[in-house]
Amino acid sequence: MRSLIQTLLAPVVWVAEKLGTRREVVRDESEQARTDQACESLALYQFWSCPYCVRVRRELTRLALTIEIRDIRLDPEHRRALLEGGGKAQVPCLRIEEGGETRWLYESSDIIDYLRRRFGE
């Protein structure tokens, strides 16, 4: 039942997220290009109706970050990759590739702290 309610509310959550979040970090074109390139090594595993995932996605918008979003409910391959790489199917999870190593960061507050430290002003 909970899953059904979350699925039905997903479009409402998406609209509220888009209308209720504004970009607070503004970069010049070259700086944004460097940021976008740095974001290529990141992927957010999530599903749309998860309130913790909404929190992280709002921060992505606020920080003007273009990070690939991988929905584990819509794509079984993303779920499998999260389980194999991170060890559990918990969302949100940020996959970070740095220096040839992959790190899996769980918990919305930890993900937001990481993004603010790395990309915030």
Side-chain angles (χ1 to χ4, degrees), residues 58-72:
R58 289 180 70 128
E59 192 64 19
L60 295 180
T61 300
R62 195 186 76 69
L63 292 172
L65 301 176
T66 306
I67 294 177
E68 180 183 358
I69 295 178
R70 299 176 178 177
D71 194 306
I72 69 166

Side-chain angles (χ1 to χ4, degrees), residues 27-80:
R27 300 178 185 90
D28 65 36
E29 193 173 310
S30 63
E31 188 178 353
Q32 185 64 47
R34 284 191 301 274
T35 300
D36 291 343
Q37 185 176 13
C39 287
E40 290 177 4
S41 65
L42 305 173
L44 179 65
Y45 288 81
Q46 56 97 56
F47 58 85
W48 287 107
S49 58
C50 165
Y52 300 104
C53 299
V54 170
R55 191 170 167 232
V56 173
R57 290 194 314 267
R58 289 180 70 128
E59 192 64 19
L60 295 180
T61 300
R62 195 186 76 69
L63 292 172
L65 301 176
T66 306
I67 294 177
E68 180 183 358
I69 295 178
R70 299 176 178 177
D71 194 306
I72 69 166
R73 283 196 171 165
L74 298 178
D75 190 330
E77 285 301 311
H78 292 324
R79 181 179 174 82
R80 183 191 55 73

Side-chain angles (χ1 to χ4, degrees), residues 6 17-18 25 28 30 42-43 55 63 76 83 85 102 109 112:
Q6 287 179 333
E17 177 184 349
K18 292 300 178 189
V25 174
D28 65 36
S30 63
L42 305 173
R55 191 170 167 232
L63 292 172
L83 277 169
T102 301
S109 57
I112 290 169

